[in-house]
Amino acid sequence: MAANFAALRSKVELALAGRVVAPFNYRDRQEVVTVSSGIPEIDSLTGGLPRGALTEIFGPSCSGRTSLLLAALSARTAQEEACALIDGGDAFDPHSAEAAGVELRKLLWVRCRNVEQTLRATDLLLQGGGFGLVAVDLSDIAPRLVRHVPLDSWFRFRRAVEDTPTILMLLEQESNAKSCASLGLRLQAGAAGWSRMPVEGAADYSRLPGGWLLEGRSARGEVSRSRAQKGSAGYFRGGSAAEPRVASAGIFKTRIDWDFFSLPIAAKRK
Amino acid sequence: MAFAAIHVANFMVQAVLRAEGEVRDRAIALVDGTAPLINVVAANDAAWRAGIQLGMAQTQAQLCGVEIRRRSRALEKAAHAALLDLGWSMSPRVEDHAQDTILADLAGLNSLFGAEEDIAREFARRAAELRLRVHVAVSANLEVAVHAARGFAGITVIPEGEEARYLSGLPVQTLAPSAEALETLERWGIRTCAALGALPVLELSERLGQEGVRLQELARGAHVRALVLAEPAEILEEEMELDDAVEDLEPLAFVLGRLLDQVCTRLAARALSAAAIRVRFDLGDAFEKEEPVRGKNATATAAGVARVETEAATVAKTYEKVLNLPVPMRDSKMLLKLLRLQLQADPPPGAIVKITLGADPARPRTTQHGLFVPNSPDPERLELTVARLAKLVGNTNIGSPELTDTHRPGEFRMNRFFSQMNETKARGKAGKKLASGGDGEPAAGRRTATGCRIFRPRLAARVELREGRPAKIFFRGLYGRVVTASGPWKISGDWWRGDAWQQEEWDLEIQFDGGSAGVAEHMLANMQVIAPVREAKAHMHASLYCVYYDGACRSWFVRGMYD
């Protein structure tokens, strides 16, 4: 019996040689290394994004998933890390990304057309390795299609980034990775922030039919799964979508205080 | 000062065998000429033993049971280039003496490779890597080294002052005399260098002229001249002609792999890498097209109808592909994978009869990793990954986005993604951040930027205005009530061009109406990438959209969604 077991063990080890180091050795769970998500409120809620693990961010539209993605990309590229975005719905906006502080030259953007392409591209990128953050954006894919992705795909992704410094971030509408995710974060949209335009010194604006300015909106984040901590909730203030309506092609001139408005849209429309 | 002569014996056969390594030990005879006069021009030892003779007709040679190969000048050219690379791999001063022989200056090589015999062995070893069997001779005299390499097999080291003694036993043919001189010498019974060297100079000069004097100097090892330096080639090329035209790419992979192996070995010999790989396919006759040509040759017939003479107009019969590499590479397996991916994406339009593969040499990539520099993808593996992804999603759908210098909304270009960071800059930045204890932490109190998701292609919408402001909106089968609107933000540009644009943008907070849910659900059920709209309606919370009125086409569109 013992001889058979030893023979079987050596046979398995031989088959896995070069791919798995010591498959029968006990692997102690390593300490999770986390880095900033780029949003202080999320960091205090989750402890940061774990390296070498799958982070799942899900929620309805306008719940701040893209804002969180851009914040994370901005933080990682600021650290000179190469990042990759596998865009399942081809919805990424380079303008708002650059306005959010993402260094675009350090971002590999893969524009996919469907779930199959997205999963295949993720496999290829994770096999290549070396990226600080790999984000898989399935936000624009219908949930019924993402639900059909077999669980072993998420498990394979998790295993691919294990023991690497890569952060694998999955964005979707519903949670699908389940136990394969080390961190699950549910986002919910809050109220939009609007403000009246400043009237002083802006005579032209007073004649405009739409006298409101979009400042942004808030979003609510809730940890649904975490290796480090159990279900807690917190809030973070979503980004300001307001913008100074800078004269584009010389049509408008404004005296609005630029600092009052957020950078992203300002940059988009300057 | 010493020189090494490296000679490839039976060069024509070795050039062919170099490309067909597996037939090296079999009897091979090379034939050349035009039918029906195709004769044997070279053969290996096994073929000689089988009864092959020079000048034998091809049909006779086939009866001897040897394998017949066509002489290939392309392979000879490649073998000669490889021989030169062998010289440059060890010495910067190389002379291109003949197609089968080179000379290398050994000055200064002792400290690197040891004694002259060790240097000669190293030449032979490196030649074997290039699939060439060479004879190496080392001498202080250039011509003596050449003749010794041609006359003696293996490695020969000739001490200074003993040149004449070493050459004495060699036949005079080794000195490559003219046919007339050789005939005269044979009539005199002069067959060895020793006999030629013993002849009186004056009488020899009277009978054979200056050539006789020169031959005698060569035979005595007394002819002195300087090394004529050769210039390294800017592009390393290897060629292979196929016996039969090949249409599929899969069988070609084997040939391409072999050519890449040879090119990479030559690059390694010169301590270089490839900055780009160039492949040229010569396509078969089937690719020739006949096109009618009108013009000068058109003549009027009695019926007044122009006669059109048809000429065989041969369109381009070659197909070229250039594989530009982000960093210099020398890994033949990696290069083969990249080349195959590129050829699969854009295959040659016809059957291939000849392949020419070249490499643009460049200095190898040097990297210095640092403790505090973040990890980044290995450039070579990344290139392969990107090539595979490009095959999956298309070349235009992968890369690094770059904003263009325009105000036109949504304009950007896709650039090639490079993982090679400015290391000095990266190290400096990372070092500073570590020194300050930061890890990309956002500043306290800083607000997060709102992300925007773009609809590609843009979504057409129907908008109802009330007092000049959007009040209701309909798109993708959904009715929405506008809760708050900000705008219009008028933008325009490029009015001096044909594609001028003019838009009025609105930021809208839209509450989707539940009343149209039935129709909308039916419409959306079969659509795939409609999740944002559909799901926004399902959750019945107000969503933020950016819509605009296009002045050029007088229509409303949804640009994107704030998320």
Side-chain angles (χ1 to χ4, degrees):
Chain A
M1 182 69 183
N4 286 344
F5 177 73
L8 185 64
R9 178 177 174 152
S10 64
K11 197 173 179 181
V12 171
E13 282 179 338
L14 196 66
L16 296 175
R19 288 182 290 165
V20 181
V21 181
F24 291 104
N25 282 9
Y26 175 72
R27 297 181 66 197
D28 198 8
R29 180 172 288 187
Q30 293 178 344
E31 189 182 345
V32 179
V33 178
T34 59
V35 293
S36 171
S37 67
I39 301 176
E41 291 84 353
I42 292 290
D43 289 346
S44 61
L45 176 68
T46 63
L49 302 177
R51 285 196 185 273
L54 172 60
T55 299
E56 189 176 35
I57 293 161
F58 56 97
S61 62
C62 297
S63 60
R65 293 165 307 185
T66 310
S67 303
L68 178 53
L69 168 68
L70 296 186
L73 287 173
S74 173
R76 290 306 96 216
T77 53
Q79 291 295 305
E80 299 289 332
E81 291 182 27
C83 299
L85 170 63
I86 302 150
D87 194 355
D90 191 16
F92 178 69
D93 179 22
H95 292 261
S96 62
E98 191 181 69
V102 179
E103 285 195 50
L104 294 177
R105 68 181 181 86
K106 291 171 195 158
L107 176 68
L108 176 64
W109 179 22
V110 187
R111 305 165 70 181
C112 302
R113 295 187 197 93
N114 50 46
V115 183
E116 290 73 29
Q117 269 194 0
T118 310
L119 297 178
R120 181 82 186 109
T122 308
D123 263 327
L124 288 171
L125 266 177
L126 294 180
Q127 282 169 20
F131 288 93
L133 170 66
V134 176
V136 184
D137 190 354
L138 295 170
S139 305
D140 290 346
I141 307 287
R144 66 181 172 84
L145 295 174
V146 185
R147 250 178 257 136
H148 289 158
V149 175
L151 194 61
D152 65 339
S153 294
W154 311 124
F155 183 74
R156 193 172 63 248
F157 294 160
R158 191 192 81 173
R159 293 285 297 183
V161 294
E162 233 170 42
D163 300 327
T164 70
T166 303
I167 301 162
L168 178 58
M169 184 187 274
L170 184 63
L171 292 98
E172 50 198 349
Q173 295 177 45
E174 296 173 356
S175 173
N176 291 290
K178 309 292 180 191
S179 58
C180 296
S182 296
L183 172 64
L185 185 63
R186 180 188 293 117
L187 297 179
Q188 287 178 333
W194 296 89
S195 68
R196 276 285 179 187
M197 285 190 197
V199 177
E200 187 183 348
D204 290 340
Y205 283 165
S206 61
R207 291 203 295 273
L208 290 173
W212 291 97
L213 192 66
L214 179 59
E215 273 196 330
R217 77 180 309 160
S218 63
R220 182 177 188 274
E222 184 183 333
V223 176
S224 66
R225 178 182 298 277
S226 174
R227 265 192 201 176
Q229 50 192 122
K230 296 289 179 184
S232 55
Y235 293 86
F236 73 95
R237 184 76 182 161
S240 165
E243 48 90 24
R245 299 301 178 186
V246 187
S248 175
I251 295 175
F252 279 96
K253 287 184 180 177
T254 178
R255 295 179 191 170
I256 295 172
D257 182 6
W258 286 53
D259 294 335
F260 179 73
F261 300 98
S262 67
L263 269 174
I265 313 297
K268 191 185 83 173
R269 292 186 178 147
K270 70 184 176 182
Chain B
M1 182 177 283
F3 301 94
I6 302 143
H7 172 69
V8 182
N10 209 355
F11 180 77
M12 283 189 283
V13 177
Q14 282 215 47
V16 173
L17 294 182
R18 180 170 167 265
E20 304 177 35
E22 68 274 12
V23 295
R24 185 170 281 274
D25 298 325
R26 284 184 272 170
I28 304 285
L30 296 192
V31 295
D32 196 17
T34 49
L37 298 173
I38 300 177
N39 300 319
V40 173
V41 292
N44 63 0
D45 290 341
W48 298 132
R49 284 196 295 272
I52 290 290
Q53 291 177 356
L54 273 182
M56 185 182 271
Q58 182 179 0
T59 46
Q60 285 178 298
Q62 283 167 339
L63 295 175
C64 295
V66 301
E67 291 185 35
I68 305 294
R69 292 282 188 279
R70 190 92 185 169
R71 181 187 175 188
S72 170
R73 285 170 178 79
L75 291 176
E76 287 170 18
K77 187 180 160 192
H80 176 63
L83 187 62
L84 281 169
D85 288 333
L86 168 68
W88 280 311
S89 73
M90 291 182 63
S91 172
R93 291 161 52 81
V94 173
E95 178 183 311
D96 183 5
H97 185 78
Q99 197 170 30
D100 58 356
T101 310
I102 62 164
L103 280 159
D105 188 351
L106 305 189
L109 297 187
N110 297 86
S111 55
L112 287 172
F113 301 102
E116 287 165 352
E117 194 170 345
D118 297 330
I119 296 171
R121 274 205 197 89
E122 183 64 20
F123 270 122
R125 190 189 66 76
R126 293 190 182 198
E129 285 180 2
L130 292 166
R131 299 183 185 180
L132 293 172
R133 290 178 183 172
V134 296
H135 302 324
V136 186
V138 179
S139 170
N141 186 291
L142 285 171
E143 296 295 347
V144 172
V146 170
H147 298 139
R150 286 176 174 168
F152 301 116
I155 292 166
T156 310
V157 179
I158 301 174
E160 201 165 352
E162 294 190 29
E163 289 87 356
R165 185 174 69 82
Y166 268 81
L167 295 182
S168 60
L170 290 178
V172 286
Q173 288 89 336
T174 313
L175 307 178
S178 65
E180 277 182 28
L182 183 62
E183 191 182 346
T184 307
L185 290 172
E186 280 183 356
R187 278 207 310 273
W188 293 350
I190 304 297
R191 290 187 174 78
T192 63
C193 290
L196 179 60
L199 293 175
V201 180
L202 192 60
E203 284 77 359
L204 188 64
S205 173
E206 285 172 354
R207 287 162 179 78
L208 288 180
Q210 283 302 307
E211 188 188 1
V213 178
R214 189 182 64 84
L215 287 172
Q216 193 181 48
E217 281 182 351
L218 290 174
R220 289 175 176 170
H223 187 78
V224 178
R225 68 171 178 89
L227 197 70
V228 181
L229 295 183
E231 287 289 324
E234 290 186 0
I235 296 179
L236 304 182
E237 274 193 350
E238 291 281 341
E239 294 180 351
M240 186 171 283
E241 288 173 354
L242 306 177
D243 294 336
D244 300 307
V246 178
E247 289 188 8
D248 296 331
L249 285 177
E250 283 307 311
L252 278 184
F254 180 71
V255 180
L256 286 173
R258 172 160 287 176
L259 292 176
L260 278 169
D261 275 343
Q262 289 172 356
V263 166
C264 289
T265 310
R266 287 174 58 190
L267 285 168
R270 287 169 59 180
L272 293 171
S273 291
I277 297 291
R278 301 172 187 277
V279 191
R280 190 175 67 245
F281 296 112
D282 287 14
L283 305 177
D285 293 337
F287 193 58
E288 286 184 13
K289 290 179 182 173
E290 284 197 347
E291 293 178 355
V293 179
R294 291 175 183 271
K296 290 186 289 186
N297 297 330
T299 55
T301 61
V305 179
R307 182 169 62 86
V308 178
E309 288 187 1
T310 304
E311 290 181 357
T314 306
V315 295
K317 286 174 64 180
T318 57
Y319 177 80
E320 289 193 21
K321 200 82 184 164
V322 179
L323 177 65
N324 287 310
L325 302 168
V327 290
M329 294 186 195
R330 205 167 57 199
D331 185 347
S332 59
K333 286 181 182 171
M334 184 75 75
L335 291 171
L336 178 61
K337 286 176 187 170
L338 290 172
L339 203 56
R340 285 181 67 182
L341 283 168
Q342 199 166 61
L343 288 173
Q344 282 167 2
D346 188 12
I352 297 159
V353 294
K354 183 181 172 187
I355 304 170
T356 308
L357 191 142
D360 292 358
R363 291 175 70 86
R365 178 171 61 98
T366 53
T367 51
Q368 177 66 55
H369 297 289
L371 284 174
F372 306 112
V373 177
N375 199 14
S376 63
D378 177 60
E380 295 183 7
R381 289 185 69 181
L382 177 70
E383 187 63 15
L384 185 60
T385 305
V386 169
R388 284 176 171 158
L389 286 169
K391 190 187 171 195
L392 181 71
V393 299
N395 275 325
T396 55
N397 290 327
I398 185 168
S400 186
E402 184 191 4
L403 304 187
T404 50
D405 186 17
T406 176
H407 291 287
R408 187 191 290 265
E411 286 286 304
F412 65 90
R413 74 166 72 92
M414 292 291 268
N415 289 336
R416 194 171 185 170
F417 179 74
F418 293 99
S419 76
Q420 196 79 355
M421 305 291 179
N422 186 337
E423 293 192 355
T424 313
K425 189 181 167 188
R427 203 173 292 123
K429 272 192 180 180
K432 279 180 193 170
K433 279 172 186 164
L434 283 166
S436 62
D439 183 25
E441 295 285 345
R446 180 185 154 195
R447 298 183 70 181
T448 308
T450 296
C452 186
R453 304 184 71 81
I454 301 295
F455 294 136
R456 296 187 182 95
R458 61 186 184 177
L459 284 180
R462 203 171 71 230
V463 176
E464 287 181 23
L465 298 177
R466 188 177 299 156
E467 296 175 359
R469 298 176 58 191
K472 285 186 178 176
I473 187 167
F474 175 82
F475 63 98
R476 270 189 175 167
L478 290 171
Y479 268 116
R481 184 171 55 84
V482 177
V483 179
T484 317
S486 172
W489 312 112
K490 297 184 178 180
I491 52 175
S492 64
D494 296 333
W495 50 265
W496 58 93
R497 287 178 10 186
D499 58 341
W501 52 276
Q502 184 183 356
Q503 297 176 0
E504 292 180 7
E505 273 193 3
W506 289 83
D507 291 331
L508 303 181
E509 186 176 11
I510 302 170
Q511 186 79 46
F512 287 100
D513 189 0
S516 61
V519 178
E521 284 295 340
H522 178 71
M523 291 179 66
L524 298 174
N526 297 321
M527 298 174 71
Q528 188 182 341
V529 189
I530 39 75
V533 182
R534 181 184 182 183
E535 174 271 336
K537 184 193 70 59
H539 286 79
M540 295 301 291
H541 68 76
S543 301
L544 295 170
Y545 286 88
C546 178
V547 303
Y548 67 96
Y549 177 75
D550 192 332
C553 59
R554 299 177 182 280
S555 302
W556 286 88
F557 296 95
V558 183
R559 190 188 306 288
M561 178 179 65
Y562 295 115
D563 181 25

